[in-house]
Amino acid sequence: MGREEGSGNGGSFRAPRGTQDILPPESERWRRVLDLAHRLFRSYGYREIFLPVMEHTEVFARGLGEGTDIVRKEMFTFQDKGGRSLTLRPEATAGVARAFVEHHMEKSGLPVKLCYSGPMFRHERPQKGRYRQFHQLGVELIGSPHPSADAEVILLCRDFLLALGIRTRLVVNSVGDEECRPAYVEALGGYLKERAEELCPECRRRMEANVLRVLDCKERSCAAVIAGAPGLSDYLCPPCREHLSAVEELLDAAGAEFVRWDRLVRGLDYYTRTVFEFQDPELGAQNALAAGGRYDHLVEEMGGGPVPAVGFSIGLERVMNAGPALPEEDREGVFLVAIGEEARRRAFLMAYELRREGWRCDLDHMGRSPRAQMKEADRQGYRFCLILGEDELRGGYLTLRDLELGSQERLEANELWMEAVRERLAG
Ligand code: HAM
């Protein structure tokens, strides 16, 4: 096994290239961001869906487009024992659409508003902000063709980033629809053909598969060609133009700043009309923290009816790398410090009682000295210790110690002890 595949030195293992372990306390920061996101999603009316991390390969080939970079070269695809081709999901939108159709979700009434979070897999060259296993948070609003749906998901994404104090630039565009896009594709194709020698080899290939992909290229030589290319906005048909204006008007009215960039296209073929990205102006090529758009034909591609939809996904690693301002950590709770066998037993049962009441609470399992137990409490972020020693047992009281102030007081160890602790902590 090569190192890339995870073997380390001397028989120890490493996580596969492009994947990472998220350990405490970093994992706790992730959890707080996830909790905040799901609370926000819920407040906008999105309900959670859990999907398989693998799908039949066809879901992505058809859903994302055979010509996309993802389908052509970035999927983790394998055969199961029955010879079927399965793929680890490179994104979640196609799976959501597949599930929507499979479970006839339209029957419960439209729109169906779903949110999700979890790992995605793309076989890309790893670098900062780009991993082979990464995590997305996202929402999909399925069933509405109205610009208010587009504006809602954009504002939700914006709210999330603002709640974390992350400053981004919102870039919006329309990629048109089946009416007007063909004329643009032709014009762009004609323009690019004339300047094909200036394009990178990858873009010359992209021209064959889907010329729009060229607009996404980050190579410097291609950027110059792209800058002179015809823009999408000149080709939009009146309905697409109106749709975009209506979305922009709502964003404006809601006070959301954005820039319109008419060369913004996305790396997936399912988009129609609105596309958008929240970019970090300080990051280089991997500058999109979140992205999404409207996809009015994906549900049909998955075998369903003509159901329009719009959504976005946020890259969790990129959000964490952007230094989010996390909400205050919940420090309430007590660490039980026990001295002696009988006290340990009592503390164990008290901890169980506290936890069943929903408290954050912990105690020593390592046979540590009282002083070491208090140090452990501090290390775990507890401000208060509830001390139970021989004196306490004999005298029928508990000692509540405030590690921050260094003060302590006695509480009676009667049936109201939990109330008394709660009162002191609140005070
Ligand atoms: P996407 O632009 O491919 O869109 O990915 C969305 C976000 O996922 C990116 O903006 C980025 O933050 C993150 N991301 C993508 N690839 C990587 C990677 N290799 N490493 C780390 N982060 C990454 C979608 O996936 C669509 N499903 C979005 C959508 C939802 N459109 C409609 N609904």
Side-chain angles (χ1 to χ4, degrees):
M1 227 178 356
R3 203 187 131 186
E4 160 148 353
E5 294 313 316
S7 72
N9 320 318
S12 62
F13 293 101
R14 288 163 176 268
R17 188 163 137 81
T19 71
Q20 48 176 351
D21 302 308
I22 306 299
L23 311 177
E26 181 62 8
S27 58
E28 283 151 3
R29 299 176 67 238
W30 280 47
R31 173 53 55 202
R32 278 152 70 193
V33 169
L34 282 164
D35 287 349
L36 179 135
H38 281 287
R39 230 178 297 128
L40 198 59
F41 294 168
R42 238 190 338 273
S43 76
Y44 273 69
Y46 293 81
R47 297 164 74 196
E48 195 162 11
I49 182 169
F50 294 89
L51 295 164
V53 295
M54 59 188 165
E55 297 275 355
H56 290 293
T57 301
E58 203 46 31
V59 168
F60 302 117
R62 193 161 338 139
L64 315 191
E66 301 271 7
T68 57
D69 285 359
I70 295 181
V71 172
R72 280 181 42 237
K73 46 183 199 187
E74 293 170 4
M75 297 205 301
F76 283 94
T77 296
F78 59 96
Q79 287 210 336
D80 73 4
K81 292 203 164 76
R84 280 169 295 255
S85 180
L86 296 177
T87 293
L88 294 182
R89 62 180 182 190
E91 59 96 78
T93 310
V96 171
R98 193 267 311 142
F100 177 86
V101 174
E102 180 172 341
H103 304 288
H104 306 286
M105 292 178 77
E106 73 286 349
K107 282 193 180 150
S108 61
L110 297 177
V112 171
K113 297 170 75 169
L114 299 168
C115 61
Y116 51 82
S117 55
M120 310 291 156
F121 307 86
R122 296 183 192 177
H123 200 287
E124 299 191 81
R125 198 165 51 77
Q127 52 179 267
K128 191 168 167 51
R130 191 158 81 187
Y131 308 90
R132 290 184 174 170
Q133 175 174 336
F134 59 98
H135 297 77
Q136 283 185 347
L137 291 150
V139 310
E140 312 292 349
L141 191 161
I142 307 176
S144 170
H146 293 291
S148 60
D150 311 46
E152 175 178 297
V153 301
I154 293 173
L155 291 173
L156 169 51
C157 194
R158 176 177 185 266
D159 269 4
F160 168 79
L161 294 166
L162 287 180
L164 294 172
I166 298 175
R167 295 178 62 84
T168 53
R169 179 179 51 192
L170 167 58
V171 184
V172 176
N173 193 26
S174 172
V175 294
D177 64 8
E178 59 287 356
E179 284 299 314
C180 54
R181 202 181 319 164
Y184 176 68
V185 166
E186 200 176 312
L188 180 64
Y191 166 85
L192 292 175
K193 210 168 272 164
E194 278 172 23
R195 308 187 59 174
E197 321 82 74
E198 295 165 58
L199 296 174
C200 70
E202 186 55 33
C203 275
R204 286 204 286 270
R205 257 197 305 275
R206 288 185 182 126
M207 275 176 62
E208 303 307 316
N210 183 345
V211 283
L212 291 178
R213 285 288 86 70
V214 175
L215 297 184
D216 226 9
C217 186
K218 306 285 192 289
E219 293 287 327
R220 195 168 299 159
S221 58
C222 297
V225 179
I226 293 164
L232 263 155
S233 53
D234 296 331
Y235 289 81
L236 294 180
C237 57
C240 283
R241 204 182 291 269
E242 277 160 35
H243 188 92
L244 180 59
S245 307
V247 174
E248 292 185 339
E249 196 280 318
L250 285 171
L251 295 179
D252 254 337
E257 276 179 33
F258 62 90
V259 290
R260 162 91 159 278
W261 188 47
D262 83 350
R263 282 169 187 72
L264 178 72
V265 291
R266 311 256 310 108
L268 303 152
D269 281 353
Y270 52 59
Y271 290 113
T272 49
R273 296 192 166 168
T274 316
V275 292
F276 59 90
E277 283 186 4
F278 286 86
Q279 302 174 346
D280 181 340
E282 274 155 40
L283 292 179
Q286 310 305 323
N287 66 354
L289 268 76
R294 175 165 282 285
Y295 50 97
D296 286 345
H297 303 298
L298 180 60
V299 170
E300 268 172 290
E301 289 291 341
M302 293 297 120
V307 180
V310 58
F312 67 76
S313 310
I314 299 162
L316 186 52
E317 284 79 359
R318 291 188 193 174
V319 164
M320 299 314 297
N321 285 343
L326 294 175
E328 260 306 294
E329 196 174 6
D330 174 17
R331 286 197 65 188
E332 206 194 76
V334 280
F335 192 96
L336 296 176
V337 172
I339 309 156
E341 271 321 297
E342 176 52 20
R344 278 185 183 276
R345 190 176 165 279
R346 285 277 286 279
F348 179 87
L349 296 172
M350 282 166 69
Y352 182 57
E353 215 173 314
L354 283 166
R355 287 164 171 163
R356 292 192 63 190
E357 288 294 318
W359 288 60
R360 187 170 90 93
C361 154
D362 214 342
L363 77 171
D364 175 54
H365 290 293
M366 305 302 290
R368 287 190 175 92
S369 71
R371 177 191 283 274
Q373 290 182 45
M374 266 183 278
K375 229 166 126 187
E376 179 62 13
D378 189 48
R379 198 180 69 85
Q380 289 194 29
Y382 285 94
R383 177 174 169 183
F384 292 96
C385 285
L386 201 54
I387 303 168
L388 198 57
E390 274 162 25
D391 289 349
E392 280 83 356
L393 279 184
R394 224 176 297 121
Y397 65 92
L398 303 163
T399 301
L400 184 69
R401 186 174 170 84
D402 182 335
L403 296 177
E404 216 162 275
L405 301 179
S407 60
Q408 57 185 44
E409 65 174 305
R410 284 184 183 192
L411 305 178
E412 274 198 58
N414 58 20
E415 66 278 9
L416 293 175
W417 69 272
M418 213 187 286
E419 259 323 298
V421 175
R422 180 174 288 135
E423 244 167 55
R424 296 309 188 287
L425 260 57

